[in-house]
Amino acid sequence: SEVDVVSGILPTGMRFGPDGALYAADWVNGWDTKNYGRVWKIDVTEKENDLEALRKKTLSYMTLKYPLQTDAMLADLLGFDDMRIRKKAQFELVNRGQKGYAVFENTLNTSKNQLAKVHAIWGIGMLARTDAKYSASLLKVLDDTNSEIQAQAAKTLGEAKNKNAADKLKDL
């Protein structure tokens, strides 16, 4: 269900900060340029902050030096609750080329975390943009019992223009 979390402002943009709070940029009165505005911080009180530990962990991962992390650490982060962290891990694994590909493959074969598998598929898709051979590993993923995993693999194989996937994609 929808919840009106704020009213009475004209936000031009809203984003979650690394601290977990929601920030909104506001033009104050109307949309005309006035050379001033405000930034609102929308957050829970300390008493209501039941996700304090997760928010602190997310903040620490936001500032992590990803190139210095092990493959195993990055594999774990592919399944983290916050998408910004999952994407940072995914992009670093893509930067590692074949080593990162091996992590993505292992994630697809062993992880029970749907989000980790989705990021592994996306990472393989990114690698396939530089070398089409990477997309071949997604053919078996089309048989996954999870329809979201199947859909992400199908989309990625289509974007990679993998001709070996054509018959299976037609069947799906």
Side-chain angles (χ1 to χ4, degrees), residues 88-109:
K88 285 175 175 276
Q90 172 192 326
F91 277 60
E92 177 53 35
L93 287 166
V94 168
N95 286 340
R96 295 181 184 191
Q98 186 62 39
K99 279 183 68 180
Y101 173 75
V103 173
F104 293 142
E105 270 283 279
N106 187 53
T107 299
L108 284 175
N109 293 328

Side-chain angles (χ1 to χ4, degrees), residues 14-163:
M14 297 178 84
R15 294 284 183 272
F16 284 99
D19 61 353
L22 180 63
Y23 290 86
D26 177 22
W27 282 96
V28 185
N29 294 317
W31 299 102
D32 298 330
T33 302
K34 298 172 214 50
N35 294 325
Y36 67 91
R38 348 176 232 227
V39 175
W40 294 89
K41 179 180 179 182
I42 304 158
D43 205 350
V44 296
T45 64
E46 282 187 43
K47 183 180 173 188
E48 296 169 321
N49 191 3
D50 58 338
L51 298 174
E52 182 178 12
L54 178 61
R55 289 172 72 166
K56 284 182 179 177
K57 195 175 205 178
T58 302
L59 179 58
S60 72
Y61 287 158
M62 291 292 287
T63 58
L64 201 62
K65 293 186 180 355
Y66 282 75
L68 302 179
Q69 304 312 305
T70 65
D71 292 344
M73 172 68 161
L74 295 171
D76 285 343
L77 293 178
L78 287 175
F80 191 70
D81 290 331
D82 190 296
M83 186 177 192
R84 296 169 296 182
I85 304 306
R86 294 192 308 268
K87 286 174 66 177
K88 285 175 175 276
Q90 172 192 326
F91 277 60
E92 177 53 35
L93 287 166
V94 168
N95 286 340
R96 295 181 184 191
Q98 186 62 39
K99 279 183 68 180
Y101 173 75
V103 173
F104 293 142
E105 270 283 279
N106 187 53
T107 299
L108 284 175
N109 293 328
T110 63
S111 180
K112 300 207 182 323
N113 184 309
Q114 178 178 323
L115 292 172
K117 285 185 166 191
V118 167
H119 282 276
I121 292 167
W122 292 349
I124 290 171
M126 291 171 70
L127 289 167
R129 290 182 192 132
T130 58
D131 191 339
K133 73 177 182 189
Y134 289 114
S135 70
S137 65
L138 296 178
L139 292 170
K140 68 180 181 287
V141 181
L142 293 175
D143 295 324
D144 199 285
T145 57
N146 182 311
S147 60
E148 182 62 28
I149 299 302
Q150 277 186 322
Q152 293 299 325
K155 178 179 177 286
T156 303
L157 284 162
E159 289 171 349
K161 295 180 176 56
N162 186 312
K163 290 179 177 32

